[in-house]
Amino acid sequence: MSSNTTDDSTPLTRSRVATRLPAQDLERARRFYAERLGLHPVDERPGGLLYRCGGAEFVLFRSTGAASGAFTQMAFEVDDIEATVAELRRRGVEFEDVDVPGFRTVGGIAEIDGNYPSRGARGERGAWFRDSEGNLLGVGQPVL
């Protein structure tokens, strides 16, 4: 269902979205996010770490379950994907190689047509990596 209007009277339309990512080992995850991504928690509690990036939040929480890693669980939207991928690689992040019909990474980056239609973009460039806990994370840059 698609609509051009927003109903601001519902609780969810007024809410903020905050991603939750499972971590079997919070200390290992904390090191990965600090050393590889340059991110540090702004708050922590027993069993959870809160991060803020560009006005959004995400939480790593202690979990006995493991992420399937079969789909992108969270993505960072960046202005320069080549520079971001290069910096993350320099920090030791390993990007996924994808080669399936209609979708292929070249140098770790894929061209994706049709994303962000409501934002005026004609597509996206994307790259994916796994954190220390198996969560599949993405880096994306809208193509205007």
Side-chain angles (χ1 to χ4, degrees):
M1 184 170 146
S2 177
S3 174
N4 291 334
T5 62
T6 301
D7 181 357
D8 289 335
S9 65
T10 67
L12 292 182
T13 59
R14 294 186 310 268
S15 69
R16 291 184 315 259
V17 174
T19 300
R20 306 292 192 244
L21 298 172
Q24 291 187 334
D25 185 328
L26 271 179
E27 287 310 310
R28 176 179 62 203
R30 177 198 303 266
R31 284 190 308 275
F32 177 88
Y33 280 76
E35 295 169 8
R36 301 284 193 260
L37 307 184
L39 300 175
H40 302 278
V42 296
D43 192 12
E44 56 186 277
R45 308 255 163 80
L49 304 171
L50 172 67
Y51 293 83
R52 283 198 185 104
C53 301
E57 297 179 341
F58 70 94
V59 170
L60 293 172
F61 70 94
R62 183 176 296 121
S63 174
T64 57
S68 72
F71 57 88
T72 306
Q73 293 164 264
M74 182 176 72
F76 300 90
E77 187 175 298
V78 299
D79 293 327
D80 185 341
I81 195 166
E82 283 93 357
T84 301
V85 167
E87 173 61 17
L88 293 176
R89 277 192 171 134
R90 188 188 69 71
R91 291 173 164 265
V93 172
E94 295 180 22
F95 285 85
E96 300 282 307
D97 287 321
V98 179
D99 190 359
V100 296
F103 190 84
R104 180 172 173 239
T105 54
V106 176
I109 300 172
E111 304 288 331
I112 310 158
D113 289 328
N115 280 6
Y116 298 117
S118 63
R119 294 171 68 182
R122 62 178 168 80
E124 178 183 21
R125 301 182 73 215
W128 297 266
F129 62 93
R130 294 180 194 283
D131 72 5
S132 62
E133 308 309 298
N135 296 302
L136 185 60
L137 307 178
V139 176
Q141 178 183 351
V143 176
L144 303 175

